[in-house]
């Protein structure tokens, strides 16, 4: 791919993300996205074979950026793994309890909507969440090694359990329009990991 091709493709994805976070995938037409991106409608299919392929690319881009941010948190120098783990969940609490669409979770927004409609998009969600879970499990293992987190029978299962708590809390936050569920998730996380402020 040429650099111009990548730039326009990325511009379409970047433009579409806040629109889809606001309205969902099915409710947003290609015309709306391309008008906002100032890209001719006919050229969309030069970058994506279909709206479904576009949705898959959108999720892959989202998870790539998310994993990069997660790596920055989990590889931070000068803190133990328990502190890095709390920094991650604290960041989740703050981003998911505010009205800034750019920080909202695309997994929460799209999982229920697209998992029954598109196998390829569901596959992107599975692969993306597996990448996140692997990073969380790795940080838990590092916490066991540096003594900041107690040992678990399975760091993979603990990572999954924590992720499930936070996904559920994020959904409840959207329903209630307050951050109490996320604050509860933080307390549960501190209890599970035996971490205090």
């Amino acid at each position: 791919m040429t650099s111009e091709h990548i730039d326009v493709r990325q511009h379409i994805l970047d433009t579409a993300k806040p629109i889809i976070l606001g309205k969902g995938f099915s409710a947003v037409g290609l015309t709306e996205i391309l008008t906002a991106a100032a890209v001719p409608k006919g050229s969309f299919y030069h970058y994506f074979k279909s709206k479904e392929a576009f949705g898959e690319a959108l999720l892959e881009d989202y998870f790539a950026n998310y994993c990069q941010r997660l790596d920055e948190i989990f590889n931070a120098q000068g803190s133990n793994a328990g502190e890095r783990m709390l920094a991650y969940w604290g960041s989740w609490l703050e981003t998911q309890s505010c009205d800034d669409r750019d920080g909202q979770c695309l997994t929460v927004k799209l999982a229920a909507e697209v998992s029954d409609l598109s196998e390829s998009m569901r596959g992107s969600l599975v692969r993306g969440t597996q990448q996140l879970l692997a990073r969380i499990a790795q940080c838990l293992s590092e916490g066991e090694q540096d003594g900041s987190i107690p040992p678990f029978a399975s760091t993979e299962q603990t990572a999954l359990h924590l992720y499930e708590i936070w996904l559920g809390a994020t959904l409840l936050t959207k329903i209630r329009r307050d951050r109490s569920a996320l604050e509860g998730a933080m307390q549960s996380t501190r209890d599970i990991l035996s971490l205090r402020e």
Side-chain angles (χ1 to χ4, degrees), residues 44 53 87 96 104 127 129 136 161 177 190:
F44 175 84
Q96 301 315 302
Q104 295 296 303
R127 289 187 300 277
T129 55
I136 296 167
H161 180 56
R177 299 203 174 166
R190 288 181 180 282

Side-chain angles (χ1 to χ4, degrees), residues 88-136:
Y88 169 57
W89 299 120
S91 171
W92 184 320
L93 190 155
E94 293 306 321
T95 58
Q96 301 315 302
S97 61
C98 71
D99 291 330
D100 178 15
R101 279 195 193 143
D102 286 340
Q104 295 296 303
C105 181
L106 198 59
T107 305
V108 169
K109 183 67 176 184
L110 296 187
E113 178 185 358
V114 304
S115 290
D116 293 334
L117 300 176
S118 168
E119 187 59 25
S120 67
M121 290 179 71
R122 189 190 69 77
S124 291
L125 286 161
V126 169
R127 289 187 300 277
T129 55
Q130 286 172 340
Q131 292 170 21
L132 302 181
L133 290 170
R135 285 165 167 79
I136 296 167

Side-chain angles (χ1 to χ4, degrees), residues 1-16 33-34 37-40 43-48 54:
M1 280 191 237
T2 66
S3 137
E4 180 184 338
H5 178 89
I6 293 168
D7 289 346
V8 173
R9 184 179 185 275
Q10 189 62 50
H11 175 64
I12 294 169
L13 293 171
D14 292 344
T15 303
I33 293 168
L34 296 173
V39 174
S43 67
F44 175 84
Y45 295 102
H46 179 67
Y47 303 105
F48 308 100
F54 160 74

